[in-house]
Amino acid sequence: MILYYIVLPIVWVLIHILWRIEVIGLDRVPRDRPVVLAPNHISDLDPVFVLGMIFDFHRYRILAKKELFQNPVIGWVLGCLGAVPIDRGAGDTETVNRVIAECKAGTSVLIFPEGTRSKDGKLGKLKSGAFVIAGQAGANLLPCRIIYDTPDQRMHLFCRMRICFGEEIPVAEVTAAGDDMRKQARAVRGLRKQLTEELEALYAAHTFRPALTAGETPAARPEADEA
């Protein structure tokens, strides 16, 4: 635990040296109660960027795919920041239940609702995990859109990026559904639509450049003007 308070400031310094990061809507991140932070996912370093910008000494719990921990450096940093590995293909209910219990007790959670990284910067289909965790923990969802200013809209060293936080999305309907799977599924569908719309709205409002159209290549598009 003590390593968290050592690593977080070091991470903050490093990412500000190696990347140019603009934060939008940081005041929307609650500091006095837990939330389920739901960013889009493009780079393995996304959780480091997001938590580095929040810079909260109340440690978040990060749900990260176990493959990330195969990289000894990234795995060690993520572990210090509060990440726990989850086996996405094996129905890792033990880890999920532990994270829900921690969230109920006051620990915010960061989980990527897409479940995997986007290869082109576009938002993928959202899976149910983030909504179930938020609903069972009784913690609102907080949308977060990560936008890279690169031709392929992926992370590159020294690139510009924006970390954009949206308005909280209440999860009371999922919480109220309890063990009624039919009501819970209906509530999750509504939340999935709402979160998708919010993440896309954040992108539309703050993008450096439009997404690539079908058949368009990054080489065909001029670089964005330098800030």
Side-chain angles (χ1 to χ4, degrees):
M1 183 67 174
I2 190 65
L3 280 175
Y4 172 77
Y5 301 105
I6 298 172
V7 171
L8 183 62
I10 294 173
V11 165
W12 188 91
V13 171
L14 284 176
I15 61 180
H16 279 84
I17 291 173
L18 298 175
W19 291 276
R20 291 176 292 164
I21 308 176
E22 179 184 359
V23 186
I24 297 169
L26 186 60
D27 58 327
R28 294 170 174 167
V29 180
R31 309 287 181 161
D32 58 344
R33 53 189 165 76
V35 290
V36 173
L37 185 56
N40 63 308
H41 196 15
I42 301 172
S43 164
D44 286 342
L45 290 177
D46 287 342
V48 176
F49 293 137
V50 173
L51 293 187
M53 294 304 99
I54 293 176
F55 201 74
D56 195 336
F57 282 101
H58 294 91
R59 188 167 69 161
Y60 276 63
R61 181 61 72 201
I62 308 168
L63 270 175
K65 60 183 181 180
K66 67 176 184 179
E67 290 82 2
L68 283 179
F69 291 82
Q70 294 173 0
N71 182 310
V73 176
I74 293 178
W76 183 80
V77 172
L78 288 176
C80 291
L81 293 178
V84 292
I86 184 167
D87 190 346
R88 295 175 300 168
D92 194 351
T93 57
E94 181 179 349
T95 299
V96 171
N97 288 337
R98 186 169 79 247
V99 168
I100 291 172
E102 291 184 17
C103 191
K104 285 181 178 179
T107 299
S108 290
V109 176
L110 187 156
I111 180 172
F112 296 104
E114 293 165 280
T116 188
R117 290 178 298 159
S118 168
K119 295 181 179 180
D120 56 8
K122 297 177 183 177
L123 186 68
K125 183 178 180 179
L126 308 187
K127 296 179 171 56
S128 301
F131 309 108
V132 173
I133 289 173
Q136 293 190 12
N140 289 342
L141 287 161
L142 183 67
C144 174
R145 189 74 191 234
I146 305 164
I147 306 171
Y148 293 107
D149 182 22
T150 57
D152 59 3
Q153 303 198 46
R154 300 178 70 179
M155 188 275 290
H156 298 283
L157 195 62
F158 303 120
C159 73
R160 291 193 303 170
M161 71 180 78
R162 288 179 179 145
I163 309 292
C164 311
F165 298 98
E167 299 286 351
E168 287 184 61
I169 299 175
V171 297
E173 190 174 348
V174 178
T175 305
D179 295 328
D180 189 324
M181 300 305 294
R182 185 172 297 180
K183 289 183 178 179
Q184 189 177 105
R186 184 166 59 247
V188 165
R189 284 195 298 271
L191 284 179
R192 183 186 289 116
K193 181 175 184 292
Q194 193 173 352
L195 179 58
T196 298
E197 291 173 349
E198 179 65 19
L199 289 172
E200 295 290 33
L202 287 171
Y203 179 85
H206 304 296
T207 183
F208 294 97
R209 65 191 74 203
L212 295 175
T213 58
E216 183 182 10
T217 62
R221 177 177 290 178
E223 290 289 338
D225 295 334
E226 290 293 325

Short mmCIF file of all heavy atoms in Angstrom, two decimals, residues 113 123-129 131-132 141 169 174 185-199:
data_model
loop_
_atom_site.label_atom_id
_atom_site.label_comp_id
_atom_site.label_asym_id
_atom_site.label_seq_id
_atom_site.Cartn_x
_atom_site.Cartn_y
_atom_site.Cartn_z
N PRO A 113 -15.36 -0.71 -19.90
CA PRO A 113 -16.58 -1.45 -20.27
C PRO A 113 -16.50 -2.15 -21.62
O PRO A 113 -17.27 -3.08 -21.88
CB PRO A 113 -17.67 -0.37 -20.27
CG PRO A 113 -16.94 0.92 -20.37
CD PRO A 113 -15.62 0.72 -19.72
N LEU A 123 -15.05 3.58 -30.48
CA LEU A 123 -15.63 2.92 -29.32
C LEU A 123 -16.23 1.59 -29.72
O LEU A 123 -17.02 1.49 -30.66
CB LEU A 123 -16.71 3.81 -28.69
CG LEU A 123 -17.33 3.32 -27.38
CD1 LEU A 123 -16.29 3.38 -26.26
CD2 LEU A 123 -18.54 4.17 -27.02
N GLY A 124 -15.85 0.52 -29.00
CA GLY A 124 -16.40 -0.79 -29.26
C GLY A 124 -17.69 -1.03 -28.50
O GLY A 124 -18.16 -0.17 -27.74
N LYS A 125 -18.26 -2.19 -28.68
CA LYS A 125 -19.49 -2.55 -27.98
C LYS A 125 -19.19 -2.73 -26.49
O LYS A 125 -18.23 -3.38 -26.11
CB LYS A 125 -20.07 -3.84 -28.55
CG LYS A 125 -21.39 -4.25 -27.92
CD LYS A 125 -21.94 -5.51 -28.56
CE LYS A 125 -23.27 -5.91 -27.92
NZ LYS A 125 -23.84 -7.13 -28.53
N LEU A 126 -20.03 -2.13 -25.65
CA LEU A 126 -19.82 -2.20 -24.21
C LEU A 126 -20.38 -3.51 -23.66
O LEU A 126 -21.48 -3.92 -23.99
CB LEU A 126 -20.49 -1.01 -23.52
CG LEU A 126 -20.15 0.38 -24.05
CD1 LEU A 126 -20.75 1.44 -23.14
CD2 LEU A 126 -18.64 0.57 -24.17
N LYS A 127 -19.61 -4.14 -22.79
CA LYS A 127 -20.04 -5.37 -22.13
C LYS A 127 -20.73 -5.02 -20.81
O LYS A 127 -20.74 -3.87 -20.37
CB LYS A 127 -18.85 -6.29 -21.93
CG LYS A 127 -18.24 -6.76 -23.26
CD LYS A 127 -17.05 -7.66 -23.06
CE LYS A 127 -16.60 -8.29 -24.39
NZ LYS A 127 -16.29 -7.29 -25.42
N SER A 128 -21.28 -6.03 -20.15
CA SER A 128 -22.16 -5.79 -19.00
C SER A 128 -21.43 -5.61 -17.68
O SER A 128 -22.01 -5.13 -16.71
CB SER A 128 -23.15 -6.96 -18.86
OG SER A 128 -23.92 -7.10 -20.03
N GLY A 129 -20.14 -5.99 -17.61
CA GLY A 129 -19.45 -6.04 -16.32
C GLY A 129 -19.49 -4.76 -15.52
O GLY A 129 -19.79 -4.77 -14.32
N PHE A 131 -21.55 -2.31 -15.60
CA PHE A 131 -22.90 -1.95 -15.16
C PHE A 131 -23.35 -2.82 -13.99
O PHE A 131 -23.99 -2.35 -13.05
CB PHE A 131 -23.87 -2.07 -16.32
CG PHE A 131 -23.41 -1.35 -17.55
CD1 PHE A 131 -22.95 -2.04 -18.66
CD2 PHE A 131 -23.39 0.04 -17.60
CE1 PHE A 131 -22.52 -1.39 -19.79
CE2 PHE A 131 -22.95 0.71 -18.73
CZ PHE A 131 -22.51 0.00 -19.82
N VAL A 132 -23.00 -4.10 -14.04
CA VAL A 132 -23.36 -5.01 -12.95
C VAL A 132 -22.61 -4.62 -11.68
O VAL A 132 -23.19 -4.57 -10.58
CB VAL A 132 -23.05 -6.46 -13.35
CG1 VAL A 132 -23.25 -7.39 -12.16
CG2 VAL A 132 -23.94 -6.90 -14.51
N LEU A 141 -21.97 5.45 -12.37
CA LEU A 141 -20.98 5.35 -13.44
C LEU A 141 -20.46 6.74 -13.78
O LEU A 141 -21.23 7.72 -13.81
CB LEU A 141 -21.59 4.75 -14.69
CG LEU A 141 -21.89 3.25 -14.67
CD1 LEU A 141 -22.91 2.91 -15.75
CD2 LEU A 141 -20.62 2.44 -14.86
N ILE A 169 -23.67 8.94 -14.25
CA ILE A 169 -24.87 8.24 -14.69
C ILE A 169 -25.39 7.40 -13.51
O ILE A 169 -24.71 6.48 -13.05
CB ILE A 169 -24.57 7.32 -15.89
CG1 ILE A 169 -24.06 8.14 -17.08
CG2 ILE A 169 -25.80 6.50 -16.27
CD1 ILE A 169 -23.64 7.30 -18.26
N VAL A 174 -30.59 -0.47 -11.76
CA VAL A 174 -29.94 -1.77 -11.65
C VAL A 174 -29.91 -2.23 -10.21
O VAL A 174 -30.18 -3.40 -9.90
CB VAL A 174 -28.49 -1.71 -12.21
CG1 VAL A 174 -27.80 -3.06 -12.05
CG2 VAL A 174 -28.50 -1.31 -13.67
N ALA A 185 -31.37 -7.14 -16.47
CA ALA A 185 -30.94 -7.10 -17.87
C ALA A 185 -31.51 -5.88 -18.59
O ALA A 185 -30.81 -5.23 -19.38
CB ALA A 185 -31.36 -8.38 -18.57
N ARG A 186 -32.77 -5.56 -18.31
CA ARG A 186 -33.39 -4.40 -18.94
C ARG A 186 -32.71 -3.11 -18.49
O ARG A 186 -32.43 -2.21 -19.30
CB ARG A 186 -34.88 -4.36 -18.60
CG ARG A 186 -35.63 -3.23 -19.31
CD ARG A 186 -37.14 -3.40 -19.22
NE ARG A 186 -37.60 -3.45 -17.85
CZ ARG A 186 -38.12 -4.53 -17.26
NH1 ARG A 186 -38.24 -5.66 -17.95
NH2 ARG A 186 -38.54 -4.49 -16.01
N ALA A 187 -32.40 -3.04 -17.19
CA ALA A 187 -31.73 -1.85 -16.67
C ALA A 187 -30.32 -1.71 -17.24
O ALA A 187 -29.88 -0.61 -17.57
CB ALA A 187 -31.68 -1.92 -15.14
N VAL A 188 -29.61 -2.83 -17.38
CA VAL A 188 -28.25 -2.80 -17.93
C VAL A 188 -28.28 -2.34 -19.38
O VAL A 188 -27.42 -1.56 -19.82
CB VAL A 188 -27.59 -4.19 -17.81
CG1 VAL A 188 -26.34 -4.27 -18.70
CG2 VAL A 188 -27.22 -4.47 -16.36
N ARG A 189 -29.28 -2.78 -20.15
CA ARG A 189 -29.40 -2.33 -21.54
C ARG A 189 -29.56 -0.81 -21.62
O ARG A 189 -28.96 -0.15 -22.47
CB ARG A 189 -30.57 -3.03 -22.24
CG ARG A 189 -30.29 -4.48 -22.62
CD ARG A 189 -31.32 -4.98 -23.62
NE ARG A 189 -32.68 -4.97 -23.08
CZ ARG A 189 -33.23 -5.98 -22.41
NH1 ARG A 189 -32.54 -7.08 -22.18
NH2 ARG A 189 -34.47 -5.88 -21.97
N GLY A 190 -30.38 -0.29 -20.71
CA GLY A 190 -30.58 1.16 -20.69
C GLY A 190 -29.30 1.91 -20.33
O GLY A 190 -28.97 2.93 -20.94
N LEU A 191 -28.57 1.39 -19.35
CA LEU A 191 -27.31 2.02 -18.95
C LEU A 191 -26.26 1.92 -20.06
O LEU A 191 -25.48 2.86 -20.28
CB LEU A 191 -26.77 1.38 -17.67
CG LEU A 191 -27.46 1.75 -16.36
CD1 LEU A 191 -26.81 1.01 -15.21
CD2 LEU A 191 -27.39 3.26 -16.12
N ARG A 192 -26.23 0.78 -20.74
CA ARG A 192 -25.27 0.61 -21.83
C ARG A 192 -25.51 1.66 -22.92
O ARG A 192 -24.57 2.28 -23.43
CB ARG A 192 -25.37 -0.79 -22.42
CG ARG A 192 -24.35 -1.06 -23.52
CD ARG A 192 -24.56 -2.40 -24.19
NE ARG A 192 -24.20 -3.51 -23.33
CZ ARG A 192 -25.03 -4.43 -22.86
NH1 ARG A 192 -26.31 -4.37 -23.17
NH2 ARG A 192 -24.60 -5.41 -22.10
N LYS A 193 -26.76 1.87 -23.26
CA LYS A 193 -27.10 2.87 -24.27
C LYS A 193 -26.71 4.27 -23.79
O LYS A 193 -26.14 5.06 -24.54
CB LYS A 193 -28.60 2.81 -24.56
CG LYS A 193 -29.09 3.80 -25.62
CD LYS A 193 -30.56 3.57 -25.91
CE LYS A 193 -31.07 4.49 -27.04
NZ LYS A 193 -31.08 5.91 -26.62
N GLN A 194 -26.99 4.55 -22.52
CA GLN A 194 -26.71 5.87 -21.98
C GLN A 194 -25.20 6.14 -21.92
O GLN A 194 -24.73 7.23 -22.29
CB GLN A 194 -27.32 5.99 -20.57
CG GLN A 194 -27.36 7.42 -20.04
CD GLN A 194 -28.12 7.52 -18.72
OE1 GLN A 194 -28.75 6.54 -18.28
NE2 GLN A 194 -28.07 8.67 -18.10
N LEU A 195 -24.44 5.16 -21.48
CA LEU A 195 -22.99 5.33 -21.39
C LEU A 195 -22.37 5.45 -22.78
O LEU A 195 -21.48 6.29 -23.01
CB LEU A 195 -22.35 4.18 -20.63
CG LEU A 195 -20.82 4.24 -20.48
CD1 LEU A 195 -20.38 5.53 -19.77
CD2 LEU A 195 -20.29 3.02 -19.73
N THR A 196 -22.84 4.65 -23.73
CA THR A 196 -22.34 4.73 -25.10
C THR A 196 -22.56 6.13 -25.66
O THR A 196 -21.66 6.74 -26.25
CB THR A 196 -23.04 3.69 -25.99
OG1 THR A 196 -22.74 2.38 -25.52
CG2 THR A 196 -22.56 3.81 -27.43
N GLU A 197 -23.77 6.66 -25.47
CA GLU A 197 -24.09 7.99 -25.97
C GLU A 197 -23.23 9.06 -25.31
O GLU A 197 -22.76 10.00 -25.97
CB GLU A 197 -25.58 8.29 -25.75
CG GLU A 197 -26.50 7.45 -26.63
CD GLU A 197 -27.96 7.64 -26.29
OE1 GLU A 197 -28.26 8.26 -25.23
OE2 GLU A 197 -28.82 7.17 -27.06
N GLU A 198 -22.98 8.92 -24.02
CA GLU A 198 -22.17 9.91 -23.31
C GLU A 198 -20.71 9.87 -23.77
O GLU A 198 -20.08 10.91 -23.97
CB GLU A 198 -22.26 9.67 -21.80
CG GLU A 198 -21.42 10.63 -20.96
CD GLU A 198 -21.87 12.08 -21.04
OE1 GLU A 198 -23.02 12.32 -21.46
OE2 GLU A 198 -21.06 12.97 -20.71
N LEU A 199 -20.18 8.67 -23.95
CA LEU A 199 -18.79 8.55 -24.41
C LEU A 199 -18.63 9.10 -25.83
O LEU A 199 -17.62 9.74 -26.14
CB LEU A 199 -18.35 7.08 -24.36
CG LEU A 199 -18.13 6.50 -22.96
CD1 LEU A 199 -17.89 5.00 -23.03
CD2 LEU A 199 -16.96 7.19 -22.25
#
